[in-house]
Amino acid sequence: MTADTAVHLFEETFGGRPSGVWSAPGRVNLIGEHTDYNAGLCLPIALPHRTYAALAPREDRLLRVVSAQGDGVVEVSLDDVAAGRPAGWAAYVAGVPWSLERAGRTVTGVDVAVDGGVPLGAGLSSSAALECAVAIAVSDLCGLDLSTSHEGRVTLAAACVEAENVVAQAPTGGMDQSAALLAEQGHALLLDCRDHTTRQVPFDLDGHDLALLVVDTRAEHQLVDGQYAERRASCERAAQELGVASLREIAGDTLEDRLTTLSSDLLRRRARHVVTEIARVEAACVALEAEDYRTLGRLFLESHASMRDDFEISVPELDTAVSAATAAGALGARMTGGGFGGSAIALLPRDEVDGARRAVERAFAMHGFTGPESFVVTAEGPAARDL
Ligand code: ADP
Ligand code: MG
């Protein structure tokens, strides 16, 4: 998966050379799950895995898109892009210039060839990587000048969120697009979903002989739509009963007293996860600033327990990955992403990585689960032009 393979695909499909190649990373969230729609905090890093897009502008309003991970060429006029149109993967591409135009920017048609290096559907946000690679490309090609400033990148992230919500018709909070466009190398990105501010927090594993292992459980996502809606509705209901605009407003120290006033044990547990998780993100930032990775590991484990017991979004594969990695020497581990499948992360001393990987594989085999994919990641840079 490189810029060159995207160029080859472009030449093969459309003839002629692309004007350039742009790429954007996948992301993994270190901590802060299901906090975005509660005006809370999350802390993603950008991955070394990137999606590459080779583009050339057109003189008409046609969009032609091809992907090494898709099937065939999809053609659609900018005038025909709408909710659910085009269908399938090309929506994530076509939605981006469509959204920028809706926001009053002048765009043209483009030819796009994609080669994605972010595993699809593993909870590592291949969808945002695809959108954001296209977004900075369109900005550069159409002279929108949105890729060179923080404010411009925030505008691009909003266009990508709209593309995904409206055209691809997938609910997404915005963490993925912000991470892909704003996260810096060697840092995690603290995202405040209440006032939409961001802060770079140092994340230097190398300097501490540590490594972050991502375990893609390859567990089937089940009942995700209904479950996500229930969690959101429960959080809204809890905030309403507590008389606050969002669960962000509940301070940690008076938590249990406040929670006893809620009308059910279910609401108490849902709210407890969100409030304590936001506090854990704050504590994780303090720990990272102090280079205290042991505390970060402990926070990972507390976060996982909260998601398993209070928010009930884990599955046996995720719990198995977390306990096997911890038993094999991890400072901490947790499921990451929305839950019900996807990936777990483990913070490990560098020389324990291979052993932990084998321990997770053995535990999966023992339970009869599909074999997991695992890989070591570092915090890399945001969407950029490559060629
Ligand atoms: P995630 O973002 O966690 O990988 P999503 O379901 O949000 O999972 O997005 C995955 C979808 O994004 C794929 O099913 C496909 O439609 C689209 N997609 C992502 N990357 C590519 C790619 N390189 N080529 C074609 N489609 C892609
Ligand atoms: Mg996605």
Coordinates of all heavy atoms in Angstrom, one line a residue, residues 342-379:
G342 N -14.5 -5.6 16.6 CA -13.5 -4.7 16.4 C -12.2 -5.1 17.1 O -11.9 -6.2 17.3
S343 N -11.5 -4.1 17.6 CA -10.1 -4.3 18.1 C -9.9 -4.0 19.6 O -10.7 -3.2 20.1 CB -9.1 -3.4 17.3 OG -9.1 -3.8 15.9
A344 N -8.9 -4.6 20.1 CA -8.4 -4.2 21.5 C -7.0 -3.7 21.4 O -6.3 -4.0 20.4 CB -8.4 -5.5 22.4
I345 N -6.6 -2.9 22.4 CA -5.2 -2.5 22.4 C -4.5 -2.9 23.7 O -5.2 -3.0 24.7 CB -5.1 -0.9 22.3 CG1 -5.9 -0.2 23.3 CG2 -5.4 -0.5 20.8 CD1 -5.8 1.3 23.3
A346 N -3.2 -3.2 23.6 CA -2.5 -3.5 24.8 C -1.2 -2.7 24.8 O -0.5 -2.6 23.8 CB -2.1 -5.0 24.8
L347 N -0.9 -2.2 26.0 CA 0.4 -1.4 26.2 C 1.4 -2.4 26.8 O 1.2 -2.9 28.0 CB 0.1 -0.2 27.2 CG 1.2 0.7 27.5 CD1 1.7 1.5 26.3 CD2 0.7 1.7 28.6
L348 N 2.5 -2.6 26.1 CA 3.4 -3.7 26.5 C 4.9 -3.2 26.5 O 5.3 -2.4 25.7 CB 3.4 -4.8 25.5 CG 2.1 -5.7 25.5 CD1 1.8 -6.2 24.2 CD2 2.4 -6.9 26.5
P349 N 5.7 -3.7 27.5 CA 7.1 -3.6 27.3 C 7.5 -4.2 26.0 O 7.0 -5.2 25.6 CB 7.7 -4.4 28.5 CG 6.6 -4.6 29.5 CD 5.3 -4.5 28.6
R350 N 8.5 -3.5 25.3 CA 8.8 -3.9 23.9 C 9.1 -5.4 23.8 O 8.7 -6.0 22.9 CB 9.9 -3.0 23.3 CG 9.7 -2.9 21.9 CD 10.5 -1.8 21.2 NE 11.7 -1.4 22.0 CZ 12.2 -0.1 21.9 NH1 11.6 0.8 21.2 NH2 13.2 0.2 22.6
D351 N 9.9 -5.9 24.8 CA 10.3 -7.3 24.6 C 9.2 -8.3 25.0 O 9.4 -9.5 24.9 CB 11.6 -7.7 25.3 CG 12.1 -6.6 26.3 OD1 11.7 -5.5 26.1 OD2 13.0 -6.9 27.1
E352 N 8.1 -7.8 25.5 CA 7.0 -8.7 25.8 C 6.0 -8.9 24.6 O 5.0 -9.6 24.7 CB 6.2 -8.3 27.0 CG 7.1 -7.9 28.2 CD 7.5 -9.1 29.1 OE1 7.0 -10.2 28.8 OE2 8.2 -8.9 30.0
V353 N 6.2 -8.1 23.5 CA 5.2 -8.1 22.5 C 5.0 -9.4 21.8 O 3.8 -9.9 21.7 CB 5.6 -7.0 21.4 CG1 4.7 -7.2 20.2 CG2 5.5 -5.6 22.0
D354 N 6.1 -10.1 21.5 CA 5.9 -11.4 20.8 C 5.2 -12.4 21.6 O 4.3 -13.1 21.2 CB 7.3 -11.9 20.3 CG 7.8 -11.1 19.1 OD1 7.0 -10.4 18.5 OD2 9.0 -11.1 18.9
G355 N 5.6 -12.4 22.9 CA 5.0 -13.4 23.9 C 3.5 -13.1 24.0 O 2.7 -14.0 24.0
A356 N 3.2 -11.8 24.1 CA 1.8 -11.4 24.3 C 0.9 -11.8 23.1 O -0.2 -12.3 23.2 CB 1.7 -9.9 24.6
R357 N 1.5 -11.6 21.9 CA 0.8 -11.9 20.7 C 0.5 -13.4 20.6 O -0.6 -13.8 20.3 CB 1.8 -11.5 19.5 CG 1.2 -11.3 18.3 CD 2.2 -11.0 17.2 NE 1.9 -9.8 16.5 CZ 2.8 -9.0 16.0 NH1 4.1 -9.2 16.1 NH2 2.4 -8.0 15.3
R358 N 1.5 -14.2 21.0 CA 1.3 -15.7 21.0 C 0.3 -16.0 22.0 O -0.6 -16.9 21.8 CB 2.6 -16.4 21.2 CG 3.5 -16.5 20.0 CD 4.6 -17.5 20.2 NE 5.5 -17.2 21.3 CZ 6.6 -16.4 21.3 NH1 6.9 -15.9 20.1 NH2 7.3 -16.2 22.3
A359 N 0.3 -15.4 23.2 CA -0.6 -15.7 24.3 C -2.0 -15.4 23.8 O -3.0 -16.2 24.1 CB -0.3 -14.9 25.5
V360 N -2.2 -14.3 23.1 CA -3.6 -14.0 22.6 C -4.0 -15.0 21.6 O -5.2 -15.5 21.7 CB -3.6 -12.6 22.0 CG1 -4.9 -12.3 21.3 CG2 -3.4 -11.5 23.1
E361 N -3.1 -15.4 20.7 CA -3.5 -16.4 19.7 C -3.9 -17.7 20.3 O -4.9 -18.3 20.0 CB -2.3 -16.6 18.7 CG -2.4 -15.6 17.6 CD -1.0 -15.4 16.9 OE1 -0.2 -16.4 17.0 OE2 -0.9 -14.4 16.2
R362 N -3.1 -18.1 21.3 CA -3.4 -19.4 22.1 C -4.8 -19.3 22.7 O -5.6 -20.2 22.6 CB -2.3 -19.7 23.1 CG -1.2 -20.5 22.6 CD -0.4 -21.1 23.8 NE 0.0 -20.2 24.8 CZ 1.1 -19.4 24.8 NH1 1.9 -19.5 23.8 NH2 1.3 -18.6 25.8
A363 N -5.0 -18.2 23.4 CA -6.3 -18.0 24.1 C -7.5 -18.1 23.1 O -8.5 -18.7 23.4 CB -6.3 -16.7 24.9
F364 N -7.3 -17.5 22.0 CA -8.4 -17.5 21.0 C -8.6 -18.9 20.5 O -9.8 -19.3 20.3 CB -8.0 -16.5 19.8 CG -8.5 -15.1 20.0 CD1 -8.2 -14.4 21.1 CD2 -9.4 -14.5 19.0 CE1 -8.7 -13.1 21.3 CE2 -9.9 -13.2 19.2 CZ -9.5 -12.5 20.3
A365 N -7.5 -19.6 20.2 CA -7.6 -21.0 19.7 C -8.4 -21.9 20.8 O -9.2 -22.7 20.4 CB -6.3 -21.6 19.4
M366 N -8.0 -21.6 22.0 CA -8.6 -22.4 23.1 C -10.1 -22.2 23.2 O -10.9 -23.1 23.5 CB -8.0 -22.0 24.4 CG -7.5 -23.2 25.3 SD -6.4 -22.5 26.6 CE -7.6 -21.6 27.5
H367 N -10.6 -21.0 22.9 CA -12.0 -20.7 23.0 C -12.7 -21.0 21.7 O -13.9 -20.8 21.5 CB -12.2 -19.2 23.3 CG -12.0 -18.8 24.7 ND1 -10.7 -18.5 25.2 CD2 -12.8 -18.8 25.7 CE1 -10.8 -18.2 26.5 NE2 -12.1 -18.4 26.9
G368 N -11.9 -21.4 20.6 CA -12.5 -21.7 19.3 C -12.9 -20.5 18.6 O -13.7 -20.5 17.7
F369 N -12.3 -19.3 18.9 CA -12.5 -18.1 18.1 C -11.7 -18.1 16.8 O -10.7 -18.7 16.8 CB -12.2 -16.8 18.9 CG -12.9 -16.7 20.2 CD1 -12.2 -16.0 21.3 CD2 -14.2 -17.2 20.4 CE1 -12.9 -15.8 22.5 CE2 -14.8 -17.0 21.7 CZ -14.2 -16.3 22.7
T370 N -12.2 -17.3 15.8 CA -11.4 -17.1 14.6 C -10.1 -16.5 15.0 O -10.0 -15.6 15.9 CB -12.2 -16.1 13.7 OG1 -13.5 -16.6 13.5 CG2 -11.5 -15.9 12.4
G371 N -9.0 -16.8 14.3 CA -7.7 -16.3 14.7 C -7.6 -14.8 14.5 O -8.1 -14.2 13.6
P372 N -7.1 -14.1 15.5 CA -7.0 -12.6 15.5 C -5.8 -12.1 14.6 O -4.9 -12.9 14.4 CB -6.8 -12.2 16.9 CG -6.0 -13.4 17.5 CD -6.5 -14.6 16.8
E373 N -5.9 -10.9 14.2 CA -4.7 -10.3 13.5 C -4.2 -9.3 14.5 O -5.0 -8.5 15.0 CB -5.2 -9.4 12.3 CG -5.8 -10.1 11.1 CD -4.7 -10.8 10.3 OE1 -3.5 -10.5 10.4 OE2 -5.1 -11.6 9.4
S374 N -2.9 -9.3 14.7 CA -2.4 -8.2 15.6 C -1.2 -7.6 15.0 O -0.4 -8.1 14.2 CB -2.1 -8.8 17.0 OG -1.1 -9.8 16.9
F375 N -1.0 -6.3 15.3 CA 0.1 -5.5 14.8 C 0.5 -4.4 15.8 O -0.3 -3.9 16.5 CB -0.1 -5.0 13.4 CG -1.6 -4.6 13.2 CD1 -2.0 -3.3 13.5 CD2 -2.5 -5.5 12.7 CE1 -3.3 -2.9 13.3 CE2 -3.8 -5.1 12.5 CZ -4.2 -3.8 12.8
V376 N 1.8 -4.1 15.8 CA 2.3 -3.0 16.6 C 2.1 -1.7 15.9 O 2.4 -1.6 14.7 CB 3.8 -3.3 16.9 CG1 4.5 -2.1 17.6 CG2 4.0 -4.5 17.7
V377 N 1.7 -0.7 16.6 CA 1.5 0.6 16.0 C 2.2 1.7 16.7 O 2.5 1.6 17.9 CB 0.0 1.0 15.9 CG1 -0.8 0.0 15.1 CG2 -0.7 1.2 17.3
T378 N 2.5 2.8 16.0 CA 3.1 4.0 16.6 C 2.2 5.2 16.3 O 1.3 5.1 15.4 CB 4.5 4.3 16.1 OG1 4.4 4.1 14.6 CG2 5.5 3.3 16.6
A379 N 2.3 6.3 16.9 CA 1.5 7.5 16.6 C 2.2 8.3 15.5 O 3.3 8.8 15.6 CB 1.4 8.4 17.9

